[in-house]
């Protein structure tokens, strides 16, 4: 006997929700790139991720808690409650509050089993592969063959006219080595001590550099991340063109990146403001 509960009929007017996570993108790289297409969504905000690397940050995002505003003089649990109320506007559905997400406290579970959504994930980072715990209540969940090809995700997206969709897109161009899909991997930057980081994508203990990195190379790497934002902005324009009009879009990052500040490089086992500082923008698809 099939014990899976039936998926309910969605409330009328429920919107699609697309969350685009530009992996490792720090806020000032976004500002330097000044992407124009995504600016049509709304005003970009400087926000802060709850975690310094990919896996815990995505779990947090999927709990429904997007990067925070770092509010002062507010008790943390009050901030969470207010943040969950934002889903009324995002989804175009009334009556959503923190308690709605209980007991699973997992956005895809709530969307599917309470609101009748279809859930889809396209991820670039191997630490988010389909065997990990966050693949729960998704109708489709795919680790992309290349870590840095958001455009390839667009061809795989489908929106059911009878059922709203939630899509998580984890985008890897902005992750080390900040490479566009057209760039020959043999031309990717090589700086001493960093090769291992890329081989073990996002494993926080993979940084075994014998000495600190060359400052000029770090500046160039930051420049490469900025260039990827300019490119991703053109892919976002293509995404906006294919999304149904009744779609709420969030574009943000899972954590920032260090480019030599205070002798740190990368993200993960780092407690520094720049590893938590991320861009955040949301709005109805333009
Ligand atoms: Zn990440």
């Amino acid at each position: 006997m099939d014990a899976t509960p039936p998926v309910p009929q969605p409330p009328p007017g429920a919107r699609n929700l697309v969350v685009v996570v530009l992996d490792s993108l720090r806020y000032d790289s976004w500002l330097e790139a000044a992407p124009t297409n995504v600016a049509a969504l709304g005003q970009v905000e400087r926000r802060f991720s709850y975690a310094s690397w990919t896996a815990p940050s995505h779990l947090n995002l999927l709990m429904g808690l997007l990067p925070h505003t770092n509010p002062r003089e507010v008790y943390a649990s009050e901030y969470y409650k207010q943040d969950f109320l934002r889903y009324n506007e995002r989804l175009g559905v009334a009556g959503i509050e923190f308690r709605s997400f209980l007991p699973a406290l997992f956005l895809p579970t709530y969307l599917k089993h309470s609101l009748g959504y279809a859930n889809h994930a396209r991820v670039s980072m191997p630490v988010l592969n389909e065997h990990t715990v966050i693949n729960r209540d998704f109708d489709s969940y795919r680790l992309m063959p290349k870590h840095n090809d958001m455009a390839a995700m667009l061809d795989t997206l489908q929106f059911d006219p009878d059922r709203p969709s939630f899509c998580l897109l984890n985008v890897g161009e902005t992750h080390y080595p900040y490479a566009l899909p057209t760039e020959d991997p043999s031309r990717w930057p090589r700086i001493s001590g960093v090769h291992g980081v890329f081989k073990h994508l996002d494993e926080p203990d993979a940084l075994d550099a014998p000495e600190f990195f060359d400052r000029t190379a770090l500046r160039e790497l930051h420049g490469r991340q900025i260039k990827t934002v300019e490119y991703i902005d053109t892919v976002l324009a293509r995404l906006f063109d294919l999304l149904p009009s009744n779609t709420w879009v969030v574009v943000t990052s899972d954590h920032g990146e260090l480019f030599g500040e205070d002798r740190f490089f990368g993200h993960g086992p780092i407690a520094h403001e720049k590893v938590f500082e991320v861009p955040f923008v949301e709005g109805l698809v333009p």
Side-chain angles (χ1 to χ4, degrees), residues 19-24 53-62 106 121-136 138 140-144 147 153 168-172 175 201-203 253-255:
V19 177
V20 181
V21 182
L22 306 177
D23 207 292
S24 311
W53 75 288
T54 307
S57 188
H58 278 77
L59 174 59
N60 205 89
L61 292 164
L62 287 172
F106 197 60
R122 301 289 179 268
V123 302
S124 301
M125 293 295 121
V127 295
L128 302 178
N129 75 73
E130 65 272 24
H131 302 288
T132 59
V133 291
I134 64 171
N135 181 9
R136 176 174 165 186
F138 281 97
S140 74
Y141 190 114
R142 212 178 290 175
L143 174 65
M144 301 301 290
H147 88 279
M153 294 177 183
L168 169 72
L169 306 181
N170 163 257
V171 172
H175 188 285
L201 274 173
D202 273 339
E203 287 174 26
S253 179
D254 56 343
H255 50 77

Side-chain angles (χ1 to χ4, degrees), residues 36-42 233 236-251 281-286:
T36 53
N37 295 314
V38 68
L41 272 183
D233 192 43
L236 285 168
R238 288 179 49 203
L239 172 68
F240 295 165
D241 284 346
L242 69 83
L243 292 178
S245 58
N246 194 25
T247 301
W248 190 268
V249 182
V250 176
V251 182
V281 62
E282 66 178 336
L284 271 176
V285 64

Side-chain angles (χ1 to χ4, degrees), residues 63 67 72 77 81 88 101 103 112 117 119 133 149 177 179-180 204 209 225 243 258 281 283-284:
M63 288 178 73
R72 293 176 194 268
S77 68
K81 285 180 191 162
N88 289 290
F101 285 67
K112 181 168 187 160
Y117 276 63
N119 296 324
V133 291
D149 196 357
L180 303 189
Q225 187 178 60
L243 292 178
L258 271 291
V281 62
L284 271 176

Side-chain angles (χ1 to χ4, degrees), residues 206-219:
L207 189 63
D208 54 356
E211 57 190 37
F212 196 55
F213 316 108
D214 176 79
R215 288 189 183 281
T216 306
L218 286 165
R219 267 196 300 276

